[in-house]
Amino acid sequence: MSREKTTRFGVSIPSRLLRQFDRLVEEKKFGNRSEAIRDLIRQFLVEEEWESDEETIGTVTLVFNHHVGDLSEELNSIQHEMVDAIVSSLHVHLDHDMCLEVIVVRGKSSRIRNLADRLIGTRGVVHGKLTAATVGRSF
Ligand code: NI
């Protein structure tokens, strides 16, 4: 993150809402209100990046049993088919049967979502999650 000028501003907020916010700041270990507000704003910017269908980046986490049908092969073909959206992947053999795969995906958010939905929706995937990150252009 670049070092740039910091601006202070005042916020009007109902007391009850502020108390709830302070409780969250404490629970989530933000340190102080400013840090929490900065994080929330960045979170909004990432959401905006994903909603506006700009180029973005994320990870798809999958847990599956590689003995189930031709699941491994299916997950593999989907990734080969959309190879331009895949940056890298990590495969961990959890035990005799189960595998964990983390795939870094990059591209327009609609395309990433489509890829993630296909992977996660493949029959036999017991856990699947798309985590939206950011290429950091707005920060
Ligand atoms: Ni494995």
Side-chain angles (χ1 to χ4, degrees), residues 113-124:
R113 277 208 181 88
N114 178 264
L115 170 60
D117 287 347
R118 284 183 67 190
L119 292 167
I120 294 166
T122 302
R123 208 170 146 260

Side-chain angles (χ1 to χ4, degrees), residues 66 91-94 98-100:
H66 77 274
H91 187 107
V92 178
H93 309 299
L94 296 173
M98 303 304 289
C99 301
L100 166 81

Side-chain angles (χ1 to χ4, degrees), residues 10-133:
V11 179
S12 302
I13 181 173
S15 308
R16 188 161 169 264
L17 190 58
L18 183 60
R19 277 196 302 278
Q20 288 174 311
F21 183 64
D22 282 342
R23 186 174 47 78
L24 275 180
V25 169
E26 175 68 28
E27 277 175 19
K28 306 269 187 198
K29 314 286 180 220
F30 277 113
N32 57 55
R33 287 174 181 163
S34 294
E35 189 52 44
I37 288 170
R38 283 193 291 269
D39 264 37
L40 284 171
I41 292 172
R42 289 189 194 108
Q43 204 175 302
F44 275 138
L45 287 169
V46 171
E47 279 170 26
E48 160 75 17
E49 188 176 302
W50 277 76
E51 274 162 28
S52 60
D53 207 20
E54 287 171 42
E55 201 219 1
T56 188
I57 197 158
T59 57
V60 180
T61 304
L62 304 170
V63 176
F64 58 94
N65 182 332
H66 77 274
H67 289 307
V68 170
D70 48 7
L71 179 55
S72 297
E73 203 175 307
E74 250 181 79
L75 293 174
N76 232 332
S77 341
I78 295 170
Q79 292 182 62
H80 278 278
E81 207 181 295
M82 295 181 77
V83 70
D84 58 297
I86 294 180
V87 179
S88 180
S89 69
L90 167 79
H91 187 107
V92 178
H93 309 299
L94 296 173
D95 58 26
H96 186 266
D97 305 311
M98 303 304 289
C99 301
L100 166 81
E101 216 161 278
V102 180
I103 305 156
V104 180
V105 287
R106 184 172 191 160
K108 285 189 178 254
S109 53
S110 57
R111 189 162 159 77
I112 292 182
R113 277 208 181 88
N114 178 264
L115 170 60
D117 287 347
R118 284 183 67 190
L119 292 167
I120 294 166
T122 302
R123 208 170 146 260
V125 172
V126 295
H127 170 83
K129 190 170 170 51
L130 168 65
T131 302

